[in-house]
Amino acid sequence: MAPKVALAIVSLLVMSLTGYAWAAMQGLVNGLTMADVIDDGPKPADGARDILLVGMDSRTDAQGNPLPKKMLAKLNAGVADGELNTDTLIFVRIPNDGSKATAMSLPRDSYVDIPGYGKHKINSAYARAKSDARQQLQAEGVSDESDLEVRSNQAGAKKLIETVEGVTGASIDNYASINLLGFHDITKAIGGVEVCLNQPVDDPYSGAKFDAGRQTISGHQALAFVRQRHGLLRGDLDRVVRQQVFMAGLARKVVSAGTLADPAKLNGLIDSVQKSVVVNKGWDLLGFAQQLQGLSAGNIEFTTIPVANPEYETPSDGQAVQVDPAQVQSYVRELAGQKNSDESSKPAPEPSKITVDVLNGSDITGLAGSVSETLTSAGFGQGEVGNTDPRTTTVVQAAEGEKATGEKVAETLGDVSVETNASVPAGQVQVLLGPDYEAPANSGGGAAPGSAPGGAPSGLRAQAQPEPSQQQPGDEPISADGVTCVN
């Protein structure tokens, strides 16, 4: 459903970059729809402000008014399925000094624990809680449709916030949501966003029909660009990359000179945001925008939570995206510059005292044996060599309190992430191989000859360059410094 919320909020937050924009902020904030979804109690001092941005598959505006059929047809929205799924989830972490912002996508099919409902796809958390709350309110005698919608939507938002907090380990400070119309109107208000495609596309499902190369898109074209998943190699994960590239282009456009100094563009942006954005009550947006006055395009980055398996077969929900909450939480802590509890682990012993299991989760035949041979040649003890569940990323797992031991193994393998796992015995290390593994140039072994990475790395990221570049998911976050070409 796209980066529509991040688009709106990024637009909102950088409006303070010009004097004229700052003068208009008060009118914008006063006209926003606000919802009681964040508890007023004190939040943990985690060194950052954490914001949950949500894209709603909603056929109404922020005030609950149905969108005209003509507009729905223009948006290529299709028919509503009777549920209110959250098709875009973005976790934004901003350190307290306001120096940078990282927007981290949570794939909508992430298979997670929804408190009170068990494990399901994360985009169903809102709909499940809203449906139950509505039924309960009706049983209690509430009949006013407006009241039912407001109170059940708040219940849905609260459950979604609780779910995201469980996955990320963070305490959500602020919440914002936006609908289909908002994305359409906001992109038109700012004059469109420049994107770049490696190949032409023609997808009847999303309405995406574009030539290859650089082009500026807005309105229903922009919505189609970020909604397309049919015809993309990795489906929703590739769509996430599309969304991140679009968000980077949006941030670049909004912070560029003149975009918000134009009264017509600014007034159009304000009107679009007020019609489509809902934020939590108590959010001091004026103070927050003032805090971010020094934020530049280069300090806004877009990334994705670490993914273990994008094609996980669930017991009852079909195929989903498997994620490891411990890995996600470690990643989130790093975004605020926090040290993980296992970073002060005891020093690593000599390689001969470290037994290493190597398990192949890729489809590259013989990869585990090759990597194990590389490690034993470096003096490490050989452990189990075999296969594991399919996975997209390579990781080195060490016992709790022994991260340094895992890092010693990772040094031999190249640029491989390290994490601790309570299931790994002391003095032992597990190497879980994904198709992204590449042997160091001087290792003499590792990946099979001719093999190429086929999956998304942990913390799916991509680096934008000052000039258009051929883009596949890589190792660095997308920034707003340049235009990145994607599939």
Side-chain angles (χ1 to χ4, degrees):
M1 196 61 54
K4 41 195 176 292
V5 176
L7 186 155
I9 298 302
V10 169
S11 301
L12 176 71
L13 299 183
V14 299
M15 289 175 75
S16 58
L17 293 175
T18 68
Y20 183 89
W22 180 252
M25 281 289 291
Q26 184 68 54
L28 168 63
V29 172
N30 288 342
L32 283 175
T33 300
M34 297 197 170
D36 185 14
V37 296
I38 298 288
D39 293 334
D40 295 331
K43 303 290 183 182
D46 56 8
R49 179 188 293 265
D50 297 320
I51 307 169
L52 179 60
L53 308 178
V54 182
M56 308 299 297
D57 184 11
S58 172
R59 274 66 175 169
T60 64
D61 62 18
Q63 291 74 42
N65 302 309
L67 300 182
K69 291 182 178 180
K70 186 176 180 180
M71 175 58 72
L72 290 175
K74 188 176 183 180
L75 297 177
N76 202 39
V79 179
D81 59 7
E83 292 187 349
L84 193 60
N85 288 336
T86 49
D87 282 343
T88 299
L89 294 171
I90 301 170
F91 173 89
V92 180
R93 169 151 280 201
I94 304 174
N96 288 336
D97 61 8
S99 59
K100 63 179 293 187
T102 303
M104 182 169 58
S105 300
L106 287 81
R108 64 176 191 169
D109 288 343
S110 297
Y111 194 61
V112 302
D113 182 63
I114 301 176
Y117 295 92
K119 297 199 74 170
H120 296 283
K121 295 178 182 179
I122 196 169
N123 76 328
S124 70
Y126 191 111
R128 292 174 188 275
K130 178 186 176 179
S131 176
D132 286 352
R134 185 181 178 88
Q135 292 179 23
Q136 179 62 35
L137 289 167
Q138 289 175 323
E140 294 172 357
V142 179
S143 59
D144 181 77
E145 183 62 28
S146 176
D147 191 24
L148 282 170
E149 277 297 292
V150 169
R151 294 169 66 179
S152 62
N153 274 321
Q154 289 181 352
K158 288 182 177 181
K159 181 58 64 176
L160 179 61
I161 290 169
E162 184 182 6
T163 301
V164 173
E165 287 180 335
V167 176
T168 62
S171 180
I172 302 299
D173 300 296
N174 296 110
Y175 170 91
S177 70
I178 193 172
N179 56 32
L180 290 171
L181 179 63
F183 181 75
H184 174 276
D185 288 355
I186 291 169
T187 57
K188 291 183 72 68
I190 66 171
V193 172
E194 187 176 20
V195 298
C196 181
L197 285 171
N198 292 327
Q199 304 94 11
V201 299
D202 187 356
D203 173 41
Y205 295 98
S206 64
K209 187 174 183 178
F210 303 105
D211 296 328
R214 295 175 73 154
Q215 52 209 292
T216 298
I217 59 177
S218 65
H220 68 278
Q221 288 185 320
L223 186 61
F225 178 86
V226 295
R227 293 183 74 190
Q228 183 186 356
R229 62 186 176 91
H230 295 281
L232 300 181
L233 182 63
R234 299 178 312 130
D236 282 335
L237 291 184
D238 275 344
R239 177 165 66 171
V240 165
V241 175
R242 282 268 192 102
Q243 295 174 359
Q244 292 168 354
V245 167
F246 192 92
M247 284 189 288
L250 167 93
R252 183 173 59 254
K253 181 68 173 284
V254 172
V255 301
S256 65
T259 298
L260 294 178
D262 183 332
K265 286 184 178 180
L266 182 61
N267 289 334
L269 178 61
I270 290 174
D271 182 61
S272 300
V273 171
Q274 288 179 342
K275 286 193 302 184
S276 56
V277 175
V278 176
V279 300
N280 67 277
K281 289 182 179 179
W283 188 353
D284 180 11
L285 285 166
L286 289 172
F288 184 44
Q290 193 170 29
Q291 178 190 3
L292 299 184
Q293 285 189 69
L295 193 66
S296 66
N299 287 330
I300 304 173
E301 295 180 341
F302 305 90
T303 182
T304 305
I305 63 171
V307 170
N309 182 1
E311 298 179 349
Y312 177 69
E313 294 294 338
T314 69
S316 60
D317 289 0
Q319 195 173 89
V321 175
Q322 186 180 34
V323 298
D324 179 356
Q327 190 177 14
V328 174
Q329 291 166 18
S330 175
Y331 183 54
V332 168
R333 286 193 294 268
E334 291 173 359
L335 292 180
Q338 294 175 293
K339 290 186 176 181
N340 292 308
S341 58
D342 56 5
E343 287 186 356
S344 58
S345 62
K346 61 184 180 182
E350 294 299 316
S352 61
K353 297 182 180 179
I354 303 173
T355 300
V356 185
D357 298 334
V358 183
L359 304 176
N360 189 2
S362 77
D363 57 0
I364 304 173
T365 303
L367 182 59
S370 179
V371 171
S372 181
E373 183 178 343
T374 297
L375 291 168
T376 55
S377 297
F380 292 97
Q382 181 175 327
E384 179 185 356
V385 179
N387 296 319
T388 187
D389 293 335
R391 56 185 297 117
T392 60
T393 63
T394 299
V395 66
V396 172
Q397 294 186 335
E400 287 190 343
E402 297 185 5
K403 189 173 184 180
T405 301
E407 290 171 343
K408 183 178 282 289
V409 173
E411 288 172 4
T412 303
L413 300 179
D415 185 18
V416 178
S417 63
V418 180
E419 63 186 30
T420 59
N421 190 315
S423 66
V424 179
Q428 196 164 328
V429 170
Q430 283 187 347
V431 178
L432 304 180
L433 297 168
D436 66 322
Y437 177 73
E438 292 185 9
N442 61 352
S443 70
S451 64
S458 178
L460 174 66
R461 298 179 173 190
Q463 175 65 51
Q465 302 297 329
E467 295 298 327
S469 59
Q470 300 298 306
Q471 184 61 57
Q472 293 297 327
D475 296 324
E476 298 297 329
I478 294 172
S479 76
D481 284 337
V483 180
T484 302
C485 291
V486 296
N487 292 330

